[in-house]
Amino acid sequence: EDKVVQSPLSLVVHEGDTVTLNCSYEVTNFRSLLWYKQEKKAPTFLFMLTSSGIEKKSGRLSSILDKKELFSILNITATQTGDSAVYLCAVTAGGTSYGKLTFGQGTILTVHP
Amino acid sequence: GAVVSQHPSWVICKSGTSVKIECRSLDFQATTMFWYRQFPKQSLMLMATSNEGSKATYEQGVEKDKFLINHASLTLSTLTVTSAHPEDSSFYICSARPFGNTGELFFGEGSRLTVL
């Protein structure tokens, strides 16, 4: 059974801090890893990673995948209160599981002013 | 990015009634849509895969007779919670992938169901 584990489960920081969120996975026939941000409603897409070692960046957020060690990290620099959210990591597999997302438990990030 | 619309965004119903939730892809066609459920403070759990023109594929532990899925067209999937009970109260989210897209899924806004 596919498995995604995120850590830490929750994190409280102050504005301006840098945070690193972790995601490890066990997936048969791995295809891609995705990061989502969830505030009050449905998740919004952040990154999709398919290749090892290639960093993806969007503003203050960046993410990288290590397919050998089966994990990914999401970095947020100079955090702001608007970054407070649940960050979800998910993986997709190929074959008959193609398109299905298996989610981790999420990391609850709280950024204080 | 692609837009997925879900309706209603929230619904309150009495125990024993049925509730239908619609998921539409507004600017793309989706042969496959996915239905997730999220309980408070928990992550999203896949319930079923909705396939246009054929039967849905349900995940282990999800009752197919209780959660009826119909994927009538390339832009519409519906989830009907039949004979709803308070334990069915949850946040239901659909997602879809544009035809030919290799991985990214787009989510609807979610539907919060409260069963009294």
Side-chain angles (χ1 to χ4, degrees), chain A residues 72-112:
Chain A
S72 173
I73 60 171
L74 174 69
N75 276 322
I76 308 175
T77 59
T79 52
Q80 301 171 358
T81 55
D83 295 325
S84 296
V86 178
Y87 290 83
L88 296 166
C89 171
V91 295
T92 67
T96 56
S97 300
Y98 183 55
K100 289 163 53 172
L101 287 176
T102 300
F103 281 89
Q105 325 92 302
T107 294
I108 302 171
L109 175 64
T110 304
V111 182
H112 288 310

Side-chain angles (χ1 to χ4, degrees), chain B residues 52-98:
Chain B
E52 188 269 336
S54 64
K55 290 183 180 179
T57 306
Y58 290 82
E59 295 299 300
Q60 197 169 8
V62 178
E63 298 174 58
K64 62 177 75 172
D65 294 330
K66 182 166 183 63
F67 299 100
L68 301 179
I69 291 173
N70 185 356
H71 197 142
S73 73
L74 286 172
T75 59
L76 174 63
S77 175
T78 59
L79 168 69
T80 301
V81 183
T82 63
S83 187
H85 287 99
E87 57 265 31
D88 298 323
S89 299
S90 187
F91 191 51
Y92 293 87
I93 310 175
C94 71
S95 70
R97 186 182 70 245

